[in-house]
Amino acid sequence: MKDLIQIDHLSTYFNTESGKVKAVDDVSLRVREGEIVCIVGESGCGKSVTAMSIMGLVEEPGGKVVNGQIHFDGKDLLQLTKNELRTIRGNDISMIFQEPMSSLNPVLKIGEQIMEPLIIHQKLSKKEARERAIQLIEQVGISRAKQIVDSYPHELSGGMLQRIMIAIAISSNPKLLIADEPTTALDVTIQAQILDMLRQFKEQSNMSIMLITHDLGVVAEMADYVIVMYAGKIVEEGEVVKLFESPQHPYTQGLLKSKPVLNQRQDELYSIPGQVPNPLELTESCYFHDRCEHCMDICRTQQPKLKEVALQQKAACWLYEEALVHG
Amino acid sequence: MSLNSTPLPGAVGGTKPRTKSSSLFGQSMRRLMKNKLAISGLVVVIIMFLACFVGPFFSPYTDNKVNMAVMNKAPNIKHWLGTDALGRDVLTRVLQAGRISLTVGLASMVLSVFIGALLGAIAGYYRGVADQVIMRIADLLLTIPGLPLLFIFGALLSDWKVPTEYRMYIVMFMLGFVNWPGLARMVRGQMLSLREREFMQAAVVLGLNDRRKLFNHLLPNIVPLLIVIATLNIGGSILSESVLSFFGLGVMAPTPTWGNMIDAANNLIDFQEHPWLWIPPGFSIFATVIAINIFGDGLRDVLDPKQKR
Amino acid sequence: MAETLLEVNHLKKYFPIHKGLLNRTIGHVKAVDDISISIQKGETFGLVGESGSGKSTVGKTIVRLTEKTEGEIKFKGVDLYTLSPQELRKIRPSMQLIFQDPYSSLNPRVRVGDAIGEALLDHGLVPKEEIRDRVLDVLQSCGLSSYHIDRFPHEFSGGQRQRIGIARALVLNPDLIIADEPVSALDVSIQAQIINLFRKLQETRELAYLFISHDLSVVEHLCSRIGVMYLGSMMETASRDELFKNPLHPYTKALLSAVPIPIPKLKRERIVLKGDIPNPADPPSGCKFHTRCPFAVARCKEEVPVFRDAGAGHFVACHLV
């Protein structure tokens, strides 16, 4: 499979009142054609900012992509002008967000919002665009498409709105769909529908999906390849079955153990002690060291690099560095 | 989509004991100090206050004696801003007028904030009949444009021949009275929205008594809004007083205020030939009100971030 | 035989829908429509449902944050709705609520120590000079440190704030804690900490929980009996093991099969429900679930199924069982 998007050494920093936050810190990853890559992590780990950096949504003075390249279709997205980027955003890369309600304009009809990009990017006439809009609404599994076209966002439920967002996102047949927590605000039965639908579209059009989520269950169901982020860094990545079967990084291990799993009740859940470090107080170290059971001296003073620790699996942890040295 | 407006989730941390002041007030003040525009506004306001309340002590002309020898003199070394038709030093009079104008502005603000906050809080907390009565009165007052109302009051005062030395106090009350309904409405709105917040529901479930709910939970959340409105209110009051006095309906000569000093501009000869009579008080009003508003806006950004944009 | 702590009988809560210039009532949202629950001393009852199921309204109506429309709520044998405001205030400490959002449930201008201690003071439960000690005690049992007592809520992370919320309820020594989605807003690693805290506190004090959640895996973990709600009605109640091993109601089955499980390539038979949750203001006739039920027959559309015992304390409202 060919690489569709390749991110090298991406760093995105935010300026806050109390100092500089390295929201994304030297992150490299790639998504291949027709692949679903899940970025998983807790709030503040930088998974959303990675997506925003790809879409060019990080804006000064608040934040800035300070380093890195994002290669998409032979172009470095970070070097493009605003106009070139907008064309790519409208045609080749689409994004859906967690809150469909706030991504849609409340005073415009659903139809108008689906038609708008069709008219601008695909140069359809108004009538064609309307027909295509109805078709798209049907495609995302909403019956009564002809009525829905003329309704306003507040008349629809959250699940329906997320479908509409997906309809808008796939209207241009994008090569890459970035979905930032697309089902977090939805009920489980609706989540199941949406995930099914995303998978279906992927199969049909060979679209790649970058799925950002905090839910390991969603990851296991959707992903081909998983990237685990912590405090702005990738701590582990790998093929999905391997990563879930034998997680290598203590953080990934802890995360998997601490999630309550249906039909696997334990009396006491494992829990990772402590909490995510303050991004303003990070110093050269493994950022997970103060919560890690295996913490060694070196973890406190030096940052481990992401290394291949098993076939198709990389982790950034001194445990494996040691193993390499001694073994 | 702006990330910087919401604090990053991890940034709240606070795991380790820190020495830095953690009070909300201290934090707000640090943030205010970073807003250069607001601080420059504050500096201008402070300079104005100091000049008006301390400045006259250094002037040899505070007795305001009529001195026909130096009538309508242009600015010179002895009289930095010249003299008026009665030979009084304009600079001294502008500073003395500032005392009155600023006092009237402050006092009427205090009065309107007091009435407005009290009535607004009662309406918002108890709702029901009290709310209806208070807010309908407020609505009624709001439907009458403020300035004409003040003009009528002013005219009545002149008609009743109220002694000029008392007029200043009456003007304060008038301004305070005209301003409270808007304030009451804002405080009530804030109260109503706070009531719906989860921490107020928590207070109900904890079975806290009314006094604690009001004084420990609701009021502290309204104070920042009050400070902002109060600050912006001072500027408005100074303007209103000036307009009233300019038309001879507010504080009257011989008590000088910035408003009745600009009255000089009413006279075509003074307007053209003696600009030093009306430019200094005019500039003082302009600078003070602008500075107060800039400072107030800065305060709002710091204390009441929801109101931003 | 354990003592019954809370008894909810045929609780109904209708919210009127107003419309027009005259604010006429044109209908009702039946947020809670004839729900009965009983909770024993020291027991954990889980209430599960999707948005619009009315599960949160049940919790709020029990603590009288909203008033009931009909039905009876007995706490330790006392009907809460017959109490005067003063009597109600007296009984409040023994029945506490924990909120979902740890950010909005703490007053940003009240220090943590005061937030926890003020109810003790108001109810005169502890002499004034002992309050600080009590607060320190409870902070510690909730996994917080003593120096946190003088901090403001904004200095804490979400998980720590939720601990503060729990400490605030716990300091009053309640018999019942109603927890409304207490871990939904938290990250996975923090979620586990809080779930463990809930369990530990129950072991050390004789606490009963009404645990309201949409997350079946969390509920399975913590609760001994579980009720499943849909559009204001109870669909099924059973003990934990019974419900998860042998779910009877099609909605429960669908719900269980929709929960993503962190085991890739796990083959599961999935019941994907069609369509959306209907508008609670205009619920379907008959069985409220029939519009989405894959097994619905003609009868389901016309007749409301009776909530009945299917054996061994397993109650279900379905024509097909």
Side-chain angles (χ1 to χ4, degrees):
Chain A
M1 278 189 291
K2 233 175 73 192
D3 284 356
L4 179 67
I5 187 165
Q6 190 179 346
I7 300 174
D8 291 314
H9 306 291
L10 178 74
S11 294
T12 303
Y13 295 173
F14 283 91
N15 295 310
T16 68
E17 267 163 27
S18 358
K20 190 185 282 172
V21 170
K22 297 181 176 180
V24 174
D25 188 7
D26 195 12
V27 161
S28 303
L29 61 93
R30 63 185 177 168
V31 180
R32 285 176 288 205
E33 281 176 4
E35 186 184 42
I36 300 183
V37 171
C38 281
I39 305 184
V40 65
E42 300 180 282
S43 44
C45 73
K47 54 190 193 301
S48 291
V49 179
T50 306
M52 284 165 59
S53 307
I54 297 173
M55 294 302 277
L57 295 175
V58 178
E59 273 168 22
E60 288 187 73
K64 198 181 176 201
V65 177
V66 293
N67 190 23
Q69 288 122 33
I70 301 175
H71 289 289
F72 180 83
D73 233 4
K75 282 172 246 166
D76 184 354
L77 296 188
L78 296 175
Q79 304 302 325
L80 297 183
T81 64
K82 282 217 152 133
N83 270 327
E84 291 168 323
L85 192 61
R86 198 176 305 139
T87 317
I88 289 188
R89 266 203 309 239
N91 290 315
D92 295 333
I93 307 179
S94 295
M95 186 160 177
I96 48 178
F97 299 93
Q98 177 175 344
E99 288 292 341
M101 201 50 161
S102 52
S103 338
L104 286 167
N105 187 337
V107 298
L108 290 181
K109 288 179 184 161
I110 296 290
E112 292 173 303
Q113 307 198 43
I114 304 180
M115 283 153 65
E116 202 181 8
L118 294 174
I119 295 170
I120 296 173
H121 291 294
Q122 297 183 25
K123 314 272 184 267
L124 296 186
S125 73
K126 230 178 162 176
K127 201 163 163 249
E128 290 169 327
R130 190 181 160 86
E131 263 156 38
R132 177 96 176 99
I134 294 174
Q135 208 184 338
L136 280 164
I137 295 174
E138 279 165 356
Q139 225 178 329
V140 290
I142 301 178
S143 49
R144 302 186 294 125
K146 291 211 171 80
Q147 286 168 39
I148 299 290
V149 176
D150 290 317
S151 45
Y152 289 94
H154 72 265
E155 298 173 288
L156 305 184
S157 69
M160 294 254 246
L161 291 176
Q162 195 58 289
R163 285 166 194 271
I164 297 294
M165 288 310 297
I166 293 174
I168 296 174
I170 60 165
S171 66
S172 59
N173 291 317
K175 294 177 183 148
L176 176 66
L177 175 69
I178 300 177
D180 189 355
E181 304 264 12
T183 56
T184 307
L186 307 177
D187 287 312
V188 269
T189 57
I190 309 296
Q191 165 170 289
Q193 296 170 351
I194 300 275
L195 293 181
D196 262 14
M197 198 171 70
L198 283 178
R199 241 186 327 239
Q200 214 182 338
F201 285 138
K202 188 212 110 176
E203 305 283 305
Q204 283 166 6
S205 61
N206 203 35
M207 174 174 75
S208 306
I209 299 178
M210 182 187 277
L211 181 66
I212 292 161
T213 179
H214 69 281
D215 187 335
L216 291 162
V218 171
V219 175
E221 267 185 25
M222 298 291 291
D224 297 311
Y225 195 81
V226 186
I227 291 167
V228 185
M229 285 185 76
Y230 186 79
K233 291 229 159 242
I234 294 179
V235 292
E236 179 161 5
E237 58 176 87
E239 194 273 323
V240 64
V241 178
K242 294 208 145 169
L243 190 121
F244 275 78
E245 268 170 11
S246 59
Q248 301 292 317
H249 196 284
Y251 175 64
T252 319
Q253 292 167 355
L255 215 51
L256 279 168
K257 271 194 280 178
S258 57
K259 164 129 180 110
V261 180
L262 214 56
N263 295 323
Q264 292 185 8
R265 219 183 82 78
Q266 307 136 290
D267 263 342
E268 169 111 16
L269 276 177
Y270 174 84
S271 71
I272 305 175
Q275 49 200 327
V276 179
N278 182 343
L280 295 165
E281 290 168 8
L282 292 176
T283 51
E284 170 83 23
S285 64
C286 169
Y287 296 154
F288 188 62
H289 77 264
D290 55 343
R291 303 176 75 186
C292 183
E293 289 174 343
H294 310 286
C295 181
M296 303 172 290
D297 284 342
I298 189 168
C299 304
R300 284 182 245 276
T301 53
Q302 273 186 62
Q303 197 147 52
K305 289 203 170 54
L306 201 60
K307 279 247 157 81
E308 191 123 8
V309 290
L311 194 64
Q312 294 183 342
Q313 205 171 349
K314 293 179 189 170
C317 179
W318 287 117
L319 286 175
Y320 304 101
E321 208 75 35
E322 288 263 297
L324 289 178
V325 173
H326 299 296
Chain B
M1 206 62 257
S2 74
L3 251 191
N4 50 328
S5 59
T6 47
L8 282 148
V12 284
T15 39
K16 287 164 226 119
R18 275 173 299 176
T19 46
K20 239 204 259 174
S21 148
S22 71
S23 77
L24 292 174
F25 180 76
Q27 265 199 341
S28 302
M29 287 308 110
R30 271 198 298 279
R31 245 184 301 162
L32 185 62
M33 294 308 280
K34 282 189 191 158
N35 186 340
K36 295 212 175 64
L37 194 64
I39 292 300
S40 61
L42 178 65
V43 168
V44 171
V45 173
I46 291 175
I47 290 174
M48 268 298 177
F49 267 83
L50 283 179
C52 293
F53 285 90
V54 183
F57 292 117
F58 300 100
S59 161
Y61 309 110
T62 42
D63 51 358
N64 275 321
K65 231 190 269 159
V66 176
N67 184 352
M68 293 304 173
V70 285
M71 275 163 51
N72 284 335
K73 283 274 182 298
N76 55 52
I77 294 177
K78 281 177 107 178
H79 300 278
W80 293 353
L81 291 177
T83 57
D84 66 5
L86 298 176
R88 294 173 295 189
D89 181 56
V90 172
L91 176 60
T92 310
R93 277 184 65 81
V94 164
L95 296 181
Q96 287 174 329
R99 269 191 201 178
I100 308 290
S101 289
L102 292 173
T103 313
V104 170
L106 267 179
S108 68
M109 175 274 282
V110 169
L111 190 71
S112 65
V113 165
F114 180 75
I115 304 178
L118 188 73
L119 293 181
I122 291 174
Y125 187 72
Y126 291 102
R127 299 191 287 188
V129 183
D131 184 21
Q132 288 297 326
V133 171
I134 293 171
M135 290 330 285
R136 290 303 82 77
I137 294 175
D139 286 344
L140 192 74
L141 283 173
L142 280 172
T143 54
I144 310 169
L147 263 179
L149 191 67
L150 290 174
F151 279 5
I152 295 169
F153 280 142
L156 281 177
L157 291 182
S158 304
D159 209 37
W160 292 338
K161 309 236 165 8
V162 174
T164 41
E165 58 266 39
Y166 293 130
R167 280 198 77 131
M168 177 181 144
Y169 302 104
I170 295 173
V171 168
M172 285 179 196
F173 275 101
M174 277 162 43
L175 291 173
F177 184 70
V178 168
N179 275 335
W180 75 261
L183 233 146
R185 202 182 243 193
M186 247 182 281
V187 169
R188 170 181 174 271
Q190 187 83 355
M191 281 298 242
L192 287 180
S193 85
L194 282 172
R195 276 184 75 108
E196 299 305 314
R197 297 275 291 276
E198 269 187 354
F199 63 77
M200 289 314 296
Q201 298 190 356
V204 173
V205 175
L206 289 168
L208 302 184
N209 59 36
D210 276 10
R211 205 179 30 148
R212 186 179 300 277
K213 274 190 265 184
L214 190 57
F215 289 101
N216 293 28
H217 288 265
L218 289 172
L219 284 183
N221 280 291
I222 288 178
V223 167
L225 176 79
L226 275 185
I227 294 176
V228 173
I229 302 177
T231 311
L232 293 171
N233 220 322
I234 302 176
S237 295
I238 291 176
L239 272 184
S240 303
E241 181 274 324
S242 305
V243 173
L244 271 187
S245 303
F246 175 76
F247 285 109
L249 297 167
V251 181
M252 303 227 276
T255 319
T257 77
W258 287 337
N260 66 26
M261 284 183 77
I262 318 182
D263 193 27
N266 252 345
N267 176 329
L268 196 64
I269 297 168
D270 280 343
F271 184 72
Q272 288 178 333
E273 313 270 319
H274 311 130
W276 60 87
L277 291 183
W278 55 270
I279 288 180
F283 178 77
S284 303
I285 295 175
F286 169 78
T288 311
V289 173
I290 289 268
I292 288 176
N293 283 350
I294 287 176
F295 176 61
D297 277 339
L299 264 183
R300 185 203 317 265
D301 289 350
V302 168
L303 294 176
D304 198 11
K306 269 175 302 184
Q307 297 271 314
K308 237 192 262 183
R309 276 193 307 175
Chain C
M1 187 66 202
E3 210 180 313
T4 302
L5 185 68
L6 177 78
E7 220 183 312
V8 177
N9 292 323
H10 304 290
L11 179 69
K12 290 183 186 171
K13 172 67 192 178
Y14 296 172
F15 292 101
I17 310 167
H18 297 293
K19 205 178 180 178
L21 208 59
L22 295 172
N23 235 6
R24 270 182 312 143
T25 305
I26 54 156
H28 287 95
V29 176
K30 299 182 174 177
V32 179
D33 197 7
D34 199 356
I35 292 278
S36 301
I37 298 171
S38 80
I39 297 179
Q40 315 295 312
K41 231 177 167 170
E43 183 193 31
T44 305
F45 187 90
L47 201 52
V48 185
E50 298 181 280
S51 52
S53 65
K55 57 189 191 301
S56 292
T57 312
V58 171
K60 288 201 171 137
T61 319
I62 291 173
V63 295
R64 286 191 69 176
L65 268 178
T66 53
E67 300 289 295
K68 66 167 188 187
T69 306
E70 241 176 72
E72 185 187 48
I73 295 170
K74 276 185 169 174
F75 181 68
K76 292 180 174 171
V78 182
D79 186 342
L80 291 179
Y81 278 80
T82 58
L83 297 179
S84 71
Q86 280 317 307
E87 290 168 321
L88 180 67
R89 208 172 78 80
K90 281 237 170 66
I91 212 168
R92 282 203 180 279
S94 45
M95 188 176 56
Q96 282 302 304
L97 187 67
I98 290 168
F99 294 85
Q100 169 176 4
D101 185 352
Y103 290 85
S104 65
S105 59
L106 295 172
N107 188 336
R109 302 195 181 267
V110 175
R111 285 175 201 274
V112 167
D114 296 331
I116 298 173
E118 62 185 357
L120 284 177
L121 197 66
D122 267 17
H123 289 285
L125 294 173
V126 172
K128 212 172 171 180
E129 52 279 8
E130 284 171 34
I131 285 183
R132 200 179 161 89
D133 290 340
R134 278 288 283 274
V135 172
L136 286 173
D137 266 1
V138 78
L139 276 176
Q140 202 187 12
S141 46
C142 289
L144 293 160
S145 309
S146 51
Y147 63 78
H148 287 141
I149 195 169
D150 293 320
R151 295 280 172 94
F152 283 98
H154 69 90
E155 298 172 73
F156 293 89
S157 65
Q160 285 176 315
R161 288 184 204 213
Q162 200 55 296
R163 287 174 193 270
I164 297 168
I166 295 171
R168 179 175 65 184
L170 212 63
V171 78
L172 296 169
N173 241 329
D175 298 302
L176 173 68
I177 287 186
I178 297 172
D180 189 357
E181 301 264 15
V183 297
S184 320
L186 306 176
D187 278 318
V188 190
S189 73
I190 307 301
Q191 217 176 54
Q193 294 174 2
I194 301 294
I195 292 172
N196 285 340
L197 176 63
F198 270 108
R199 177 183 296 284
K200 194 191 85 192
L201 293 172
Q202 189 168 39
E203 278 162 14
T204 47
R205 303 157 184 247
E206 227 201 357
L207 260 175
Y209 294 124
L210 173 59
F211 197 89
I212 300 168
S213 177
H214 71 279
D215 189 335
L216 279 161
S217 30
V218 171
V219 168
E220 184 196 20
H221 208 81
L222 214 51
C223 303
S224 49
R225 246 168 6 106
I226 292 155
V228 181
M229 279 182 78
Y230 185 75
L231 281 179
S233 297
M234 195 70 92
M235 293 286 140
E236 186 167 8
T237 48
S239 70
R240 171 184 59 223
D241 295 342
E242 179 67 19
L243 190 91
F244 284 89
K245 293 218 173 68
N246 182 27
L248 293 177
H249 200 287
Y251 177 60
T252 313
K253 289 180 189 168
L255 214 51
L256 281 169
S257 79
V259 177
I261 291 180
I263 303 166
K265 310 289 182 268
L266 178 79
K267 292 267 182 295
R268 278 199 298 166
E269 200 182 321
R270 167 167 279 179
I271 308 168
V272 175
L273 292 179
K274 293 240 154 34
D276 248 322
I277 301 166
N279 183 352
D282 182 22
S285 61
C287 171
K288 286 177 178 167
F289 185 57
H290 84 258
T291 52
R292 300 175 76 198
C293 183
F295 313 110
V297 293
R299 190 181 166 202
C300 303
K301 200 171 174 178
E302 280 137 29
E303 207 181 309
V304 181
V306 183
F307 191 62
R308 61 195 169 76
D309 197 343
H314 193 146
F315 285 80
V316 64
C318 181
H319 292 307
L320 301 171
V321 178

